[in-house]
Amino acid sequence: MNELNKHFQPKNFSDKVALSFTKFLRLLADTFFKKRYGHRAVVLETVAAVPGMVAGMLLHLKSLRKIEDDKGWIKTLLDEAENERMHLMTFIHVAKPTTLERFIIMVAQFIFIVTYAIIYLISQRTAHRIVGYFEEEAVISYTEYLNELEAGTIPDQPAPLIAINYWNLPLHATLKDVVRVIRDDEAGHRDVNHKFADLINLKKSKLAYKKNKAREKSVEEKSADKILN
């Protein structure tokens, strides 16, 4: 549980923006879905599958444009998007989405694709941090879902066949087993995206340090020239 409860403390303005944005969306989800976890998962997993695909596409185009290696980021992000899509495919069998929820899915996905693409173009670090915080909230939500299932508040049921095949679960697996493996997936995505944000932050710090050292060297050289002349 210690690994599941990990939280990245915001260290700068970018992190605070990412956390605030995430908390706002969490409030909307809690207000609309309350404890209808299956229906919440259907809608939110539709949105959760967007960042990996959008980021992967933008990095793919950047790699082509700059003719440089992506260091494995593209595949990691596209795998994340596919994994989130399978979460959605699973929960469609658990909670049949209503007409209203299907409409919300269409609108939410369109808005989030545009919004996330803009954020990623402006600040990749903030974009990955947002996803890291999204996944933190997903871990919390799935833990609450699992608690309700274990307490019997929400009836358990056989795991959908698509989930059994995708995660190689036993044939007698139930919804509780599915929620556990999905929660583990979300914890993994959380760690990856926070790590990506940290790497981008480190790269920016190194560039800033090099620029500062170059500036200091230039000033010293100019001062030496004045003395000699």
Side-chain angles (χ1 to χ4, degrees):
M1 280 302 292
N2 288 336
E3 286 296 307
L4 291 173
N5 291 332
K6 282 200 302 188
H7 170 63
F8 181 88
Q9 293 295 334
K11 297 178 181 177
N12 50 43
F13 179 72
S14 172
D15 294 345
K16 291 177 181 178
V17 169
L19 182 58
S20 298
F21 182 62
T22 302
K23 290 297 184 183
F24 171 70
L25 293 182
R26 171 77 195 217
L27 178 62
L28 292 181
D30 287 344
T31 301
F32 187 82
F33 295 106
K34 301 190 186 315
K35 291 193 174 185
R36 296 166 62 237
Y37 293 106
H39 293 270
R40 176 201 290 254
V42 168
V43 175
L44 296 188
E45 291 294 357
T46 305
V47 174
V50 168
M53 185 60 66
V54 170
M57 178 192 70
L58 292 176
L59 289 179
H60 173 74
L61 296 176
K62 180 182 178 182
S63 178
L64 296 177
R65 186 172 65 252
K66 293 194 172 184
I67 317 178
E68 62 181 20
D69 183 45
D70 71 299
K71 303 188 187 325
W73 284 39
I74 295 172
K75 185 179 185 307
T76 299
L77 291 167
L78 294 182
D79 286 347
E80 176 187 307
E82 172 63 9
N83 180 251
E84 296 285 9
R85 188 183 71 84
M86 290 306 298
H87 294 176
L88 172 64
M89 294 299 103
T90 296
F91 277 107
I92 283 176
H93 294 277
V94 175
K96 307 295 189 294
T98 64
T99 302
L100 174 60
E101 286 166 345
R102 288 181 180 274
F103 175 73
I104 291 173
I105 285 170
M106 292 172 60
V107 174
Q109 188 180 81
F110 174 76
I111 293 173
F112 195 65
I113 287 173
V114 175
T115 302
Y116 192 76
I118 292 172
I119 293 172
Y120 205 85
L121 288 170
I122 294 173
S123 174
Q124 291 183 17
R125 175 180 57 186
T126 303
H128 283 296
R129 192 68 77 198
I130 286 173
V131 178
Y133 285 133
F134 275 9
E135 302 298 6
E136 286 185 13
E137 295 299 329
V139 169
I140 293 172
S141 292
Y142 281 116
T143 297
E144 292 173 352
Y145 192 2
L146 183 60
N147 290 340
E148 296 284 347
L149 286 166
E150 291 178 337
T153 308
I154 297 176
D156 199 6
Q157 58 183 281
L161 183 59
I162 189 173
I164 290 174
N165 292 334
Y166 182 72
W167 283 283
N168 294 317
L169 298 173
L171 291 176
H172 61 271
T174 67
L175 181 55
K176 286 189 285 189
D177 300 307
V178 174
V179 171
R180 287 191 187 97
V181 293
I182 290 179
R183 182 178 62 174
D184 289 343
D185 287 346
E186 304 293 18
H189 300 327
R190 171 201 65 197
D191 294 343
V192 167
N193 279 278
H194 278 319
K195 184 64 175 179
F196 278 177
D198 287 341
L199 289 172
I200 294 170
N201 194 46
L202 180 62
K203 183 179 179 180
K204 287 181 179 293
S205 297
K206 286 182 176 179
L207 287 173
Y209 176 77
K210 287 180 179 178
K211 286 181 180 179
N212 187 51
K213 294 299 289 185
R215 193 180 300 112
E216 290 177 355
K217 185 177 180 180
S218 177
V219 171
E220 288 175 357
E221 288 175 349
K222 288 181 181 178
S223 297
D225 288 341
K226 286 182 180 180
I227 293 172
L228 292 175
N229 293 333

